[in-house]
Amino acid sequence: MSAAVSAPRLTAGTPPGQVPALWLALLAAPIATGANAPVLILPDIAHSLAVSTTQATWMVTAFAWAMTVGTPLAAALVRHRGLRVALAAGAITALAGTVVVATAPWFPLALLGRAAQAAGGAGLVAVAMNLAGSTRRMGAITAGFGVLGAVGPLLGSVLADAAGWRTSLALSALALLAAPAILRHTASSAPARSPHAVPFDAVGAGLVVAVVSGLVLIPTAPLAGGLTAAAALVPLGLHIRRRPDGFVPAAVLRSRTFLGSALLAFAFSTSYFILLFALPRLTQRRTGWSVEAIGTGQLVALLTGSALSWLLASAAVRLGHRKVLTLLVAVGAAAPLIAAFASWGPALLLAAAGAVFVATGSNAVLSVRASQPAPEAGRPAAIGLFVLFYQLGGAIGPALAALLVVA
């Protein structure tokens, strides 16, 4: 059966009228710009808030952490309360975080605002991905992630020079422009509830947050992060056995399709974010290119890879899953190998293009496939857990890149 026929209905409850893909991309993609906007302006942030540049990097780490843990929480909100509630909660949280970042006089308060921005953004992304419904439409969302993520550092730097760093960190709020239109389209949406619906699994949610928090800390604090993750992982496994229909549905974890898709997404995402942060430094060391040439070249490479990922998602049904997966694995393995050994500038840019092509393309193709084995009511949870694996790569990758470049 073709994917066009078997693509799951991803929304919870009664499906609303189909939302145009461009609205979905606008709702989700600006979060990628907001995530990468601080990369080149951390010294400005540090100076303004009277902290060191090293401390200022927590503005990136806190955002990645909140995005990672916020994704399954937002999926649970979709599952239990429906798309409209999840969209409203995400929009309000993102707006509140943006206001805090724009006005905070102290670093801890600004850090809290960044976390709120990311948590709210996770809710918007969860809604967009639940409304996608097909690989092609999911491809529009993930390609938007790639494109806006690619321009994030440069756009953040330009805006910081023109209007201050706080303006740069407000870029993710552009997603709120799509919220009113999508609210109209989701007027008939309701959570998928049965007469025997179970309440929200707060214990399962807390254990997932603890596991993810420990994993995010491992690159920078291996002992503390590893112990935290391990200490929470065992009780999480026991809890899933007691609550198989809870925050982490046991039926999803038992699916080889889901696990294979999620682990591949994690591997591709981690590789992409390592190369995104490491390749500029490696290119400068190996080629002698100027900073301007490296920035321009990497931007072109990332935009090209993102555009190609959308073409792949559009052609995925025609090509078939096996061919698409073979292509993704081949390019995904080649990109880090090229980056490890190449000393020619264009080859390093090719590695960057390949990495973003695989990360965004796999997110579109595998997210739809990962949700197929789940029952209708569990599909929002399956998507949320899949995106958690992808976002975990985005949280761990930059820290690993710093370690590898220094080494």
Side-chain angles (χ1 to χ4, degrees):
M1 183 180 293
S2 69
V5 176
S6 61
R9 189 171 73 242
L10 302 179
T11 54
T14 305
Q18 193 174 66
V19 181
L22 287 178
W23 282 122
L24 298 180
L26 178 59
L27 185 70
I31 198 72
T33 311
N36 294 344
V39 171
L40 299 179
I41 59 173
L42 287 175
D44 296 337
I45 297 173
H47 181 266
S48 175
L49 296 175
V51 296
S52 68
T53 302
T54 301
Q55 288 175 298
T57 59
W58 279 99
M59 297 287 276
V60 177
T61 304
F63 194 96
W65 170 81
M67 186 74 185
T68 304
V69 300
T71 296
L73 293 173
L77 192 59
V78 172
R79 180 184 179 189
H80 289 275
R81 293 289 181 255
L83 288 164
R84 286 176 62 81
V85 172
L87 178 58
I92 292 170
T93 305
L95 179 60
T98 301
V99 172
V100 171
V101 170
T103 58
W106 308 294
F107 179 70
L109 189 58
L111 207 59
L112 181 63
R114 283 291 283 172
Q117 282 183 310
L124 302 182
V125 171
V127 170
M129 296 188 75
N130 273 276
L131 285 170
S134 72
T135 302
R136 181 184 180 90
R137 286 160 57 81
M138 194 74 80
I141 296 172
T142 58
F145 261 95
V147 169
L148 294 188
V151 303
L154 180 60
L155 184 57
S157 178
V158 170
L159 283 177
D161 289 340
W165 63 268
R166 296 179 190 271
T167 305
S168 301
L169 299 194
L171 285 170
S172 60
L174 291 173
L176 300 177
L177 297 175
I182 294 178
L183 274 173
R184 289 195 296 271
H185 279 280
T186 57
S188 61
S189 171
R193 302 181 70 86
S194 70
H196 306 289
V198 295
F200 174 69
D201 180 11
V203 174
L207 290 171
V208 168
V209 170
V211 170
V212 170
S213 300
L215 293 175
V216 170
L217 283 174
I218 285 177
T220 53
L223 183 59
L227 289 176
T228 300
L233 192 58
V234 173
L236 176 61
L238 295 174
H239 181 75
I240 292 172
R241 294 188 65 180
R242 289 194 300 267
R243 288 284 305 273
D245 56 350
F247 187 79
V248 181
V252 173
L253 292 186
R254 284 196 295 264
S255 167
R256 293 183 179 181
T257 299
F258 172 83
L259 289 177
S261 299
L263 290 174
L264 273 177
F266 170 71
F268 292 150
S269 173
T270 303
S271 175
Y272 163 58
F273 282 101
I274 288 174
L275 294 180
L276 177 67
F277 283 83
L279 274 178
R281 183 74 60 85
L282 293 177
T283 304
Q284 191 173 30
R285 289 178 181 176
R286 296 175 186 176
T287 67
W289 284 12
S290 67
V291 174
E292 292 77 11
I294 293 171
T296 302
Q298 187 170 19
L299 177 61
V300 171
L302 295 176
L303 292 176
T304 301
S306 299
L308 291 175
S309 74
W310 182 80
L311 294 178
L312 176 68
S314 300
V317 173
R318 185 171 65 255
L319 293 174
H321 180 72
R322 187 178 297 274
K323 290 181 180 179
V324 171
L325 187 60
T326 300
L327 176 63
L328 289 172
V329 171
V331 178
L337 288 175
I338 293 173
F341 298 106
S343 57
W344 187 44
L348 293 169
L349 296 180
L350 180 64
V356 71
F357 166 77
V358 170
T360 55
S362 66
N363 201 5
V365 174
L366 297 178
S367 60
V368 174
R369 183 173 176 82
S371 67
Q372 286 179 332
E376 181 72 15
R379 283 177 182 165
I383 293 176
L385 292 173
F386 174 86
V387 178
L388 181 150
F389 276 84
Y390 180 86
Q391 295 293 349
L392 190 59
I396 293 175
L400 290 176
L403 294 176
L404 291 172
V405 168
V406 170

